[in-house]
């Protein structure tokens, strides 16, 4: 029996997933949450074998939650289930430790199959994500970058976290407090992000994130 934790801030999504997964004899939902903090609590209590995690949540983004969980519980498989298309987040989150990335519009059976796969310590790579990864490898092997590879994929895990928070209007001081960093460190990350994305202001970051579907 594979124990599953579902973390999504929409109750209707959690209910639908729970009802669907209950039809599978080898899958059982043992935990539910609506925030990144609750996801971390589930991992800490050891009550789940696989965590289904949404990206967009009110108190803490799924990106931040993933980083916190993998830092403390690196062996716990985290399967990202998001409303954002694979092209926007998948390769970045896989690089940051996610075991797989699924769009919420996928076939429900794909979710069940992905859960079974990651519970065995493997990664779930959908056809769309596999194509992205292949493009990335081809670009790297020729000494350049893949033609359609977005600039944000070059950001480090921490830079990506800071970028998303800045794009959503958070101040440097608030980000520093939330990520347990100094204001000077966050300012340094901000400078690096602006350089890598070839932008100049926080407003530019917001526009870039909206244009690339990274925030709603």
């Amino acid at each position: 029996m594979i124990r599953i934790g579902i973390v999504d801030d929409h109750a209707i999504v959690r209910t639908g997933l729970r009802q669907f997964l209950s039809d599978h004899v080898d899958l059982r939902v043992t935990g539910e949450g609506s925030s990144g903090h609750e996801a971390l609590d589930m991992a800490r209590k050891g009550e789940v074998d696989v965590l289904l995690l949404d990206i967009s949540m009110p108190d803490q983004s799924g990106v931040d939650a993933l980083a916190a969980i993998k830092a403390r519980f690196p062996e716990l498989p985290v399967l990202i289930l998001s409303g954002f298309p694979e092209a926007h987040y998948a390769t970045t989150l896989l690089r940051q430790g996610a075991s797989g990335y699924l769009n919420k519009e996928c076939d429900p059976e794909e979710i069940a199959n992905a859960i079974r796969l990651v519970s065995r310590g493997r990664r779930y790579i959908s056809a769309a994500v596999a194509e992205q990864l292949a493009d990335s490898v081809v670009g790297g092997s020729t000494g350049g970058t893949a033609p359609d590879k977005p600039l944000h994929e070059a950001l480090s895990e921490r830079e990506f976290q800071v970028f998303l928070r800045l794009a959503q209007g958070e101040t440097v001081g608030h980000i520093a407090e939330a990520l347990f960093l100094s204001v000077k460190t966050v300012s340094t990350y901000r400078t690096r992000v602006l350089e890598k994305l070839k932008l100049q202001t926080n407003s530019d970051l917001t526009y870039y994130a909206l244009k690339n579907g990274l925030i709603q």
Side-chain angles (χ1 to χ4, degrees):
M1 182 72 71
I2 302 170
R3 301 172 302 163
I4 304 157
I6 303 172
V7 183
D8 192 296
D9 61 324
H10 294 97
I12 191 168
V13 173
R14 298 197 305 273
T15 299
L17 282 170
R18 185 177 66 249
Q19 290 175 346
F20 167 72
L21 295 173
S22 68
D23 291 335
H24 296 73
V25 295
D26 61 330
L27 307 177
R28 181 159 59 97
V29 176
T30 57
E32 290 186 37
S34 60
S35 69
H37 295 302
E38 290 177 339
L40 193 55
D41 283 342
M42 257 187 263
R44 188 181 295 117
K45 292 174 182 176
E47 61 185 31
V48 296
D49 300 313
V50 175
L51 199 57
L52 279 179
L53 183 66
D54 186 23
I55 287 178
S56 298
M57 291 182 289
D59 69 324
Q60 182 184 42
S61 74
V63 175
D64 292 342
L66 174 66
I69 291 167
K70 299 310 288 188
R72 295 167 177 80
F73 312 99
E75 301 304 315
L76 177 64
V78 179
L79 191 58
I80 304 295
L81 187 62
S82 170
F84 292 104
E86 289 92 336
H88 298 158
Y89 273 103
T91 54
T92 299
L93 293 177
L94 286 169
R95 192 174 68 234
Q96 294 176 9
S99 295
Y101 187 102
L102 288 168
N103 188 286
K104 288 180 178 177
E105 295 182 5
C106 72
D107 187 315
E109 280 300 332
E110 190 175 357
I111 299 173
N113 291 333
I115 290 171
R116 294 186 181 104
L117 190 66
V118 302
S119 72
R120 299 197 297 268
R122 299 174 62 185
R123 285 196 171 188
Y124 181 80
I125 307 294
S126 67
V129 174
E131 186 174 344
Q132 280 183 259
L133 293 173
D135 287 343
S136 178
V137 170
V138 170
S141 64
T142 56
T145 57
D148 297 323
K149 184 175 180 180
L151 293 174
H152 64 265
E153 285 192 14
L155 299 178
S156 70
E157 176 181 328
R158 187 64 88 181
E159 287 168 351
F160 191 64
Q161 284 181 279
V162 171
F163 157 56
L164 288 181
R165 286 177 173 270
L166 287 169
Q168 293 178 90
E170 292 189 36
T171 65
V172 168
H174 186 273
I175 296 171
E177 182 179 350
L179 300 182
F180 302 102
L181 300 171
S182 69
V183 170
K184 182 178 180 181
T185 298
V186 174
S187 295
T188 299
Y189 280 125
R190 175 182 178 274
T191 299
R192 290 181 193 167
V193 169
L194 288 170
E195 288 176 352
K196 289 184 178 181
L197 299 185
K198 301 177 182 179
L199 301 173
Q200 296 184 335
T201 68
N202 286 6
S203 296
D204 292 338
L205 292 176
T206 300
Y207 177 73
Y208 177 98
L210 287 168
K211 185 176 72 171
N212 285 275
L214 298 172
I215 60 175
Q216 295 174 322

